[in-house]
Amino acid sequence: MSLLVSGTVALDSIKTPCGVRPRLLGGSASHFCMSASFFTKVALSGVIGKDFPQKYIKLFQSKDIDMKSLVRKEGKTFHWNGEYKKGDFNTALTKSTVLGVLAGFEPNIIDAHQSIPNVFLANDDPEIQAKVLKAVKMPRLVGLDTMNLWIEHKKKPLLKLIKKVDLFVANDAEARSLTQENNLIKAAKALRKLGPKMVVIKKGEHGFLFYSDEIMFAYPAYPVEKVVDPTGAGDTFAGGLMGYLSQSKTLSKKALKQALCYATVMSSFNVEGFGVERISKINKNDINKRKNEFLKFISYQ
Amino acid sequence: MSLLVSGTVALDSIKTPCGVRPRLLGGSASHFCMSASFFTKVALSGVIGKDFPQKYIKLFQSKDIDMKSLVRKEGKTFHWNGEYKKGDFNTALTKSTVLGVLAGFEPNIIDAHQSIPNVFLANDDPEIQAKVLKAVKMPRLVGLDTMNLWIEHKKKPLLKLIKKVDLFVANDAEARSLTQENNLIKAAKALRKLGPKMVVIKKGEHGFLFYSDEIMFAYPAYPVEKVVDPTGAGDTFAGGLMGYLSQSKTLSKKALKQALCYATVMSSFNVEGFGVERISKINKNDINKRKNEFLKFISYQ
């Protein structure tokens, strides 16, 4: 089985207390597919501009990411310029955003990709996300992520879309904002009522909460001592989660817990470097080694 | 084996989004011993005034709490008047504090209590805490809690005291403030360097992190949907932790994990009612039932 992800492919200029990096590979779909590619074959839908560096194309190729639904257009790649201040890695301060080719973009999922059974709608305009979902035939598992911008400005199309997905991934602030419930258990239940059978609320350094009608569970985050850049941690988490589930025969409780452990581990690697620097240097052994450490960290035995 | 706790015994007037309650039983030692009494025999050291209600004395008696080191003095019981605003149960806003008999209090640990093997120095002036510890002969296990007030105003005696204890319990803000480390793993390691072999950082609704030279682990909090009043949650947590360890033959990894599960469960009951309302109505069956639910909630199986 394989996985289709749609979302943003960006260039990120990032400043954190650990340094400054210009024009890194960024965007929700980039972080997602770099992570998911460790588990399954990934096809990437999105748009890049003429300025998109060849080295990032090569990086995607090295991860066997299928770019046939990735459109290259005249103009500039979406560019985000942001900063994290000392002591607060939870708040990304946007210094500037250049939409570039993202403005007015219409997704173009090639025929072969329309029958991919697993789909993730990474953070993007919900109207774009809905178009991608519409193009997909008979998906087995559809996941969705969003951000506060869309909850504030495109709530109606977002609520329409969320009804149609199986798995909704949100961070705590988004979950609270979308449901108007401050308590995260109540927020998870309220999100379930909006449609998705499975809800994951990500809590950054505090891990996540999973909720479905059958089961609710929570794990802390993997203990990372040196956070360098949290950009894309949530997308990387979702990539591990969906990547694992896409190659799993079932969506059993056991598979979900496995998938969420991998998600946790993948996001822990992500925050240890700028952009995808760290993720692009690890291998499957590193992932499994850290997963075993994580299981010890959360174990009751 | 049994357990001696010293700390404040207070009357708390509390307002939360769920209601208002005047002159509830409060204080670090009260919450602690109500929780610990489910696991072991507890002796309570502290001071109350002439106005301390007989019903609370009876409540302590009903839990078989030994009050022979609890001093009753002329004057008023320490009174805290606080509020939690909607959507922020993490911040207790102090409206007024009346020290009453707490001002100038000298602890008086009776001879029989000086040889109790397990001791917890619940949140109080570190100079008072040091006097209690000095009175104790050959303790097996000494635990310590504090608060930002003492970290800011009595850092020197606190740092002197922390060297002498086995187990230090702090919330995340206190851990960060005392160590000047924002990352909680680094903060835990820095606290270990201050002396205590075992460090527990409480993260409120996000659970806790345990750190020692041998092991580091973390569990989320028990999922409470209806938080009524978080006052004393940390003391109740510490009561479950120390209460369980006091009756445990060893301080093995297994015993620590058990103790911290009970701590988590006890604090979850605490926040479901004002003051000690909820804790005073539960029994051992309720505790074990919730502990089993909690083990499912954190399980990887």
Side-chain angles (χ1 to χ4, degrees), chain A residues 86-89 172 176 180 182-186 189 203 205-206 208-210 215-227 253-254 257-258 261 291 295-301, chain B residues 86-89 172 176 180 182-186 189 203 205-206 208-210 215-227 253-254 257-258 261 291 295-301:
Chain A
K86 193 168 186 290
D88 187 8
F89 274 122
D172 40 9
R176 285 179 169 128
Q180 297 294 304
N182 191 61
N183 180 291
L184 288 183
I185 325 291
K186 284 187 187 170
K189 289 184 177 180
K203 306 190 291 176
E205 63 166 322
H206 301 300
F208 72 86
L209 172 73
F210 176 89
I215 189 169
M216 174 166 72
F217 60 96
Y219 299 154
Y222 179 87
V224 174
E225 261 185 78
K226 177 86 179 159
V227 177
K253 188 178 79 174
K254 195 178 161 191
K257 289 187 171 186
Q258 281 269 50
C261 280
K291 185 185 163 238
L295 290 184
K296 275 190 201 157
F297 183 67
I298 65 171
S299 158
Y300 180 65
Q301 299 310 320
Chain B
K86 193 168 186 290
D88 187 9
F89 274 123
D172 41 8
R176 285 178 169 130
Q180 298 294 305
N182 191 62
N183 181 291
L184 288 183
I185 326 290
K186 283 188 188 169
K189 290 184 177 179
K203 305 190 291 174
E205 63 166 321
H206 301 299
F208 72 85
L209 172 72
F210 175 89
I215 188 170
M216 174 165 73
F217 60 96
Y219 299 154
Y222 178 87
V224 174
E225 261 186 77
K226 177 85 179 158
V227 177
K253 188 178 79 173
K254 195 178 161 190
K257 290 186 170 187
Q258 280 269 51
C261 280
K291 186 188 163 235
L295 290 184
K296 274 189 201 158
F297 183 67
I298 64 171
S299 158
Y300 180 65
Q301 300 309 320

Side-chain angles (χ1 to χ4, degrees), chain A residues 26-93:
Chain A
S28 61
S30 305
H31 283 285
F32 180 95
C33 67
M34 286 298 291
S35 172
S37 69
F38 284 96
F39 304 94
T40 195
K41 170 84 182 158
V42 185
L44 167 62
S45 159
V47 60
I48 53 176
K50 291 289 177 196
D51 59 344
F52 192 73
Q54 191 57 23
K55 63 178 176 184
Y56 298 147
I57 296 282
K58 282 192 178 155
L59 182 60
F60 284 146
Q61 281 166 343
S62 76
K63 299 288 171 188
D64 200 23
I65 291 161
D66 179 339
M67 287 174 278
K68 289 194 281 291
S69 292
L70 179 67
V71 179
R72 194 189 274 263
K73 274 188 13 182
E74 283 296 332
K76 294 207 169 202
T77 304
F78 172 48
H79 183 233
W80 178 70
N81 186 340
E83 181 173 355
Y84 301 86
K85 298 274 188 192
K86 193 168 186 290
D88 187 8
F89 274 122
N90 291 318
T91 314
L93 305 162

Side-chain angles (χ1 to χ4, degrees), chain A residues 92-288:
Chain A
L93 305 162
T94 294
K95 291 197 278 190
S96 67
T97 305
V98 179
L99 280 183
V101 291
L102 209 58
F105 168 64
E106 294 286 324
N108 181 25
I109 314 293
I110 63 160
D111 282 359
H113 290 171
Q114 291 176 15
S115 51
I116 292 179
N118 304 290
V119 180
F120 192 73
L121 308 167
N123 176 36
D124 204 342
D125 182 330
E127 293 180 293
I128 300 284
Q129 291 175 315
K131 283 178 186 167
V132 172
L133 185 56
K134 209 175 167 189
V136 172
K137 296 162 189 159
M138 302 269 291
R140 166 204 186 226
L141 173 66
V142 178
L144 172 69
D145 191 8
T146 190
M147 71 184 287
N148 269 339
L149 178 74
W150 311 120
I151 295 172
E152 283 160 32
H153 299 291
K154 295 233 177 163
K155 198 167 180 176
K156 219 171 154 179
L158 177 61
L159 289 175
K160 201 174 155 191
L161 176 63
I162 202 174
K163 272 187 199 161
K164 299 175 188 165
V165 307
D166 306 296
L167 169 65
F168 182 58
V169 179
N171 71 29
D172 40 9
E174 291 153 9
R176 285 179 169 128
S177 152
L178 193 53
T179 63
Q180 297 294 304
E181 288 284 3
N182 191 61
N183 180 291
L184 288 183
I185 325 291
K186 284 187 187 170
K189 289 184 177 180
L191 291 173
R192 167 69 188 95
K193 282 191 185 146
L194 295 178
K197 288 188 296 291
M198 296 175 277
V199 172
V200 180
I201 300 182
K202 298 167 291 172
K203 306 190 291 176
E205 63 166 322
H206 301 300
F208 72 86
L209 172 73
F210 176 89
Y211 182 83
S212 73
D213 293 345
E214 291 76 35
I215 189 169
M216 174 166 72
F217 60 96
Y219 299 154
Y222 179 87
V224 174
E225 261 185 78
K226 177 86 179 159
V227 177
V228 171
D229 171 22
T231 311
D235 306 306
T236 307
F237 181 95
L241 171 60
M242 287 291 297
Y244 183 86
L245 290 178
S246 296
Q247 58 76 53
S248 167
K249 284 200 185 85
T250 75
L251 300 176
S252 66
K253 188 178 79 174
K254 195 178 161 191
L256 282 167
K257 289 187 171 186
Q258 281 269 50
L260 281 156
C261 280
Y262 279 116
T264 299
V265 163
M266 295 312 290
S267 62
S268 76
F269 281 118
N270 173 81
V271 303
E272 289 179 336
F274 279 97
V276 299
E277 273 173 9
R278 181 90 170 94
I279 286 281
S280 50
K281 279 174 197 148
I282 58 171
N283 60 38
K284 208 65 203 271
N285 276 348
D286 300 319
I287 294 169
N288 284 323

Side-chain angles (χ1 to χ4, degrees), chain B residues 223-237:
Chain B
V224 174
E225 261 186 77
K226 177 85 179 158
V227 177
V228 171
D229 170 22
T231 311
D235 307 306
T236 307
F237 180 96

Side-chain angles (χ1 to χ4, degrees), chain B residues 32-66:
Chain B
F32 180 95
C33 68
M34 286 298 290
S35 172
S37 70
F38 284 95
F39 304 94
T40 194
K41 171 84 182 158
V42 185
L44 167 62
S45 159
V47 59
I48 54 176
K50 290 290 177 194
D51 60 344
F52 191 75
Q54 191 58 24
K55 64 178 176 185
Y56 297 148
I57 296 284
K58 282 191 177 155
L59 182 60
F60 283 148
Q61 281 167 343
S62 76
K63 298 290 172 187
D64 200 21
I65 290 160
D66 180 339

